[in-house]
């Protein structure tokens, strides 16, 4: 599946000799990931092709004459598509040439050198575990260290992941993004503009039946139990009064296995809950609480008359979805813009009845996280179906064409096919925050 790479910003810069070059701001999951020039991507593409040949997607061609505005926009769109497609090959994604390239870019962009540091990892029981890492350690490496420190079986690391989590003064928490396996958690934490954030460990699967895979590992059971207790306390999972009473009794008895077995019957058990946001379902501008898991998007929608209605959108009836940046992105004069403060929306095409497809929109700053959850549910379903019947023909969400909203400047990321943007995004930049030192002809 395509990765949530986007390039909503490209900037023209002047080198010391007065020549012009273009610097692309690459975002991952809606957060600034790195800045890079065309020439660097071009050299990286040649390295990939020497190793992987035709498995590498086409790379945008060089221009030897001055680019027009439309040509520059087209190149940016092509580079965005290229970055989204390259990681679709798992062999490329796990290769040293892929990981090393982005590792160096992240460090160069945020001026963080390789050194030993301490990283606090927030655990599901509310405690923090301090580990020693290198600033250049990837998510995959940090997970291995956490697994070793906690006693989690290496075979079960894939059921967990690191997340960027924001903590609020009222005790609530917001999961902002899932860390990519090649991302540098320390760099991402230091560079984010989102306040009161920590790196947190959470389970990373949406199918509650996968709990059974963890039951033979004491540490995995502890982590799953602690996260379930946390989610019930924060009302992400919603037990009935009778279920809550029985769960409390099992909690006091220290029977974690029975607790988890009963918790599976609780509404929204194991779901990812987003912050309160708005949607256009039932009526435009309705306030909604969105939870996603177990092959559905569950919405508690508050209507204008203060009545609340629960609506569940089943994944089996979702045809496609796309994430859209809305508004204008400006870069600050004293440094690079780290996050997209403008509105984000996730729009999905749903079959309500009689094969009538309709688009519904959720406006949330966690749109990329929601998209990651939808992709995870799709991949888990495909794996399960393939295991049950290897010869089965499986349908996946269809590709969507280009779309445009006339009243907004935008950049879109679509599931499987990411439409290009047609309107420009304004940028206010300075020469001082240039990431790289040497300017080459290929950057033009």
């Amino acid at each position: 599946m395509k990765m949530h790479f986007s390039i909503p910003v490209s900037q023209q810069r002047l080198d010391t000799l007065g020549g012009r070059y273009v610097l692309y701001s690459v975002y991952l999951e809606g957060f600034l990931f790195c800045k890079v020039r065309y020439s660097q991507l071009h050299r990286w593409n040649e390295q990939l092709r020497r190793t992987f040949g035709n498995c590498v997607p086409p790379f945008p061609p060089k221009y030897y004459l001055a680019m027009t505005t439309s040509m520059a926009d087209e190149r940016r769109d092509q580079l965005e598509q290229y970055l989204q497609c390259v990681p679709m090959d798992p062999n490329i994604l796990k290769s040293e040439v892929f990981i090393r390239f982005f590792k160096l870019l992240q460090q160069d962009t945020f001026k963080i050198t390789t050194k030993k540091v301490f990283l606090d990892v927030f655990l599901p029981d509310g405690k923090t575990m301090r580990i020693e890492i290198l600033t250049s350690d990837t998510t995959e490496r940090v997970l291995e260290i956490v697994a070793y420190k906690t006693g989690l079986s290496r075979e079960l690391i894939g059921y967990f992941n690191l997340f960027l989590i924001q903590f609020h003064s009222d005790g609530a928490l917001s999961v902002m993004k899932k860390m990519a396996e090649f991302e540098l958690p320390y760099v991402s934490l230091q560079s984010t503009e989102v306040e009161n954030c920590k790196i947190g460990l959470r389970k990373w699967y949406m199918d509650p039946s996968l709990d059974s895979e963890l039951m033979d590992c004491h540490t995995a059971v502890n982590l799953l139990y602690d996260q379930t207790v946390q989610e019930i306390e924060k009302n992400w999972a919603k037990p009935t009064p009778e279920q809550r009473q029985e769960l409390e009794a099992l909690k006091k008895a220290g029977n974690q296995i029975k607790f988890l077995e009963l918790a599976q019957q609780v509404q929204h058990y194991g779901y990812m809950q987003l912050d309160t946001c708005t949607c256009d379902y039932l009526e435009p501008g309705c306030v909604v609480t969105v939870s996603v898991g177990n092959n559905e998007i569950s919405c508690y929608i508050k209507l204008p008359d203060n009545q609340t209605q629960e609506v569940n959108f089943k994944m089996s009836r979702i045809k496609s979805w796309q994430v859209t940046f809305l508004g204008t992105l400006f870069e600050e004069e004293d440094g690079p813009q780290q996050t997209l403060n403008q509105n984000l929306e996730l729009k999905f095409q749903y079959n309500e009845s009689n094969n009538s497809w309709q688009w519904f929109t959720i406006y949330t700053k966690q749109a990329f996280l929601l998209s990651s959850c939808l992709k995870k549910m799709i991949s888990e379903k495909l794996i399960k179906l393939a295991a049950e019947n290897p010869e089965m023909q499986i349908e996946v969400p269809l590709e969507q064409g280009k779309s445009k909203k006339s009243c907004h400047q935008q950049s879109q990321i679509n599931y499987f096919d990411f439409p290009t943007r047609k309107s420009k995004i304004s940028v206010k930049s300075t020469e001082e925050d240039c990431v790289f030192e040497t300017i080459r002809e290929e950057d033009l």
Side-chain angles (χ1 to χ4, degrees), residues 157-173:
I157 293 177
Y159 291 94
F160 296 87
N161 207 82
L162 299 179
F163 295 82
L164 185 67
I165 301 176
Q166 184 181 29
F167 292 82
H168 304 279
S169 58
D170 60 358
L173 61 83

Side-chain angles (χ1 to χ4, degrees), residues 214-250:
L214 280 59
M215 292 300 104
D216 292 334
C217 176
H218 179 68
T219 299
V221 171
N222 282 341
L223 292 170
L224 185 57
Y225 170 80
D226 290 336
Q227 183 170 325
T228 303
V229 170
Q230 181 192 83
E231 290 174 353
I232 291 175
E233 290 176 349
K234 296 186 180 301
N235 202 35
W236 288 21
K238 301 172 175 60
T240 63
E242 294 78 13
Q243 288 174 331
R244 188 179 295 275
Q245 185 176 5
E246 189 172 350
L247 287 168
E248 283 298 326
L250 291 170

Side-chain angles (χ1 to χ4, degrees), residues 208-209 211 228 232 237-240 242-244 246-247 250 257-271 294:
S209 69
D211 283 359
T228 303
I232 291 175
K238 301 172 175 60
T240 63
E242 294 78 13
Q243 288 174 331
R244 188 179 295 275
E246 189 172 350
L247 287 168
L250 291 170
I257 299 295
K258 289 293 185 182
F259 182 97
L260 290 171
E261 289 175 353
L262 176 59
Q264 286 201 9
Q265 303 172 28
V266 172
Q267 184 184 27
H268 293 173
Y269 166 72
Y271 283 43
N294 199 19

Side-chain angles (χ1 to χ4, degrees), residues 5-14 20-28 31-44 59-63 65-83 101-102 105-106 108-110 329 331 336-337 340 411 421 425 427 429-430 433-436 439-444:
F5 275 120
S6 56
I7 307 178
V9 178
S10 63
Q11 306 158 299
Q12 277 203 5
R13 298 289 184 86
L14 292 176
R20 293 184 179 275
Y21 65 95
V22 177
L23 191 64
Y24 297 94
S25 294
V26 178
Y27 284 70
L28 179 62
F31 289 74
L32 180 61
F33 182 63
C34 65
K35 292 192 174 187
V36 64
R37 299 188 195 133
Y38 174 87
S39 62
Q40 293 174 295
L41 290 170
H42 185 272
R43 291 193 293 273
W44 179 57
F59 188 78
K62 291 183 180 180
Y63 292 123
L65 300 176
M67 289 190 294
T68 63
T69 300
S70 62
M71 292 166 67
D73 287 342
E74 182 181 15
R75 171 178 279 183
R76 184 175 63 180
D77 292 335
Q78 290 172 341
L79 289 173
E80 185 175 86
Q81 291 281 336
Y82 174 81
L83 289 177
F101 178 72
F102 281 115
L105 278 179
Q106 289 174 79
D108 286 344
T109 297
F110 299 107
L329 177 64
E331 298 237 342
Q337 178 76 24
L340 292 171
S411 171
R421 67 194 65 70
I425 296 178
V427 178
S429 62
T430 62
D433 63 348
C434 178
V435 175
F436 306 101
I439 313 301
R440 298 176 181 271
E441 181 180 3
E442 298 95 311
D443 287 310
L444 299 177

